[in-house]
């Protein structure tokens, strides 16, 4: 991984605002489900940094290695609930918008398992992780997840 630009150094105010917005947009998200969503979107986007961070965070939240390892093949893995499958389907559909209109089918499944508010929270979580993926992939970002956790705790 070659860091091309440190966006925090280049635009500290903007990046702090983005970070703050990111946190506030998804604060109502179920943390366990949110980590699975972040891992899956990051896999699709090829973001090693975010996969590293969110698999670490999922483990910290008590997620099993089996479920972390199988999230890329969630359709065939029996360890996810129907609710989680609906969320992962929605994640894939929104992350891959340019590949077709799978979001219509994914939404039908999503609304069976999530309230209107939960659908918005889930969608915002997907938007946020896709944004972070683009920042990390675009600029070659890499961060140690344990250090990020410590920084976040210190800032709180």
């Amino acid at each position: 991984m070659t860091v091309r630009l440190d966006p925090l150094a280049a635009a500290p105010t903007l990046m702090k605002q983005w970070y703050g917005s990111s946190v506030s947009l998804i604060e109502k998200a179920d943390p366990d489900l949110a980590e699975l969503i972040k891992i899956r979107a990051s896999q699709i986007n090829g973001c090693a940094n975010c996969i590293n961070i969110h698999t670490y965070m999922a483990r910290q939240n008590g997620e099993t290695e089996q479920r972390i390892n199988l999230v890329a093949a969630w359709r065939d893995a029996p360890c996810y609930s129907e609710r989680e499958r609906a969320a992962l389907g929605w994640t894939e559909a929104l992350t891959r918008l340019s590949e077709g209109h799978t979001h219509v089918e994914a939404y039908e499944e999503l609304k069976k398992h999530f309230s209107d508010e939960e659908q918005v929270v889930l969608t915002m979580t997907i938007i946020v992780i896709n944004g972070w993926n683009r920042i990390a992939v675009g600029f070659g970002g890499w961060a140690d997840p344990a250090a990020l956790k410590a920084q976040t705790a210190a800032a709180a």
Side-chain angles (χ1 to χ4, degrees):
M1 169 84 48
T2 301
V3 177
R4 292 178 279 286
L5 173 74
D6 177 355
L8 187 57
T13 301
L14 183 61
M15 290 306 298
K16 287 177 185 174
Q17 290 170 338
W18 167 244
Y19 176 79
S21 294
S22 296
V23 171
S24 68
L25 285 171
I26 62 172
E27 65 185 5
K28 290 185 176 186
D30 170 341
D32 297 330
L33 183 56
E35 293 306 328
L36 292 175
I37 288 165
K38 292 172 190 177
I39 293 166
R40 186 64 193 124
S42 299
Q43 289 170 335
I44 293 166
N45 290 322
C47 184
N49 180 62
C50 294
I51 294 168
N52 188 45
I53 289 169
H54 295 294
T55 56
Y56 172 87
M57 296 306 293
R59 285 182 194 96
Q60 294 296 301
N61 290 352
E63 190 58 81
T64 67
E65 287 299 314
Q66 179 188 39
R67 286 169 43 89
I68 291 169
N69 292 336
L70 289 172
V71 74
W74 62 269
R75 283 179 181 82
D76 298 320
C79 56
Y80 302 103
S81 69
E82 290 303 311
R83 180 177 166 89
E84 290 166 331
R85 291 175 187 284
L88 290 165
W90 187 238
T91 300
E92 288 188 3
L94 293 186
T95 301
R96 294 179 164 150
L97 276 176
S98 66
E99 295 180 19
H101 295 285
T102 60
H103 64 280
V104 175
E105 294 168 11
Y107 183 69
E108 292 304 315
E109 193 61 29
L110 183 76
K111 67 183 184 178
K112 292 178 189 176
H113 301 281
F114 292 87
S115 70
D116 289 353
E117 182 180 6
E118 289 172 323
Q119 292 174 39
V120 173
V121 170
L122 185 66
T123 301
M124 296 310 295
T125 303
I126 297 164
I127 290 168
V128 166
I129 192 57
N130 275 281
W132 281 113
N133 290 167
R134 281 145 179 80
I135 291 167
V137 171
F139 296 129
W142 186 259
D144 176 72
L148 286 176
K149 185 177 180 184
Q151 288 172 350
T152 302

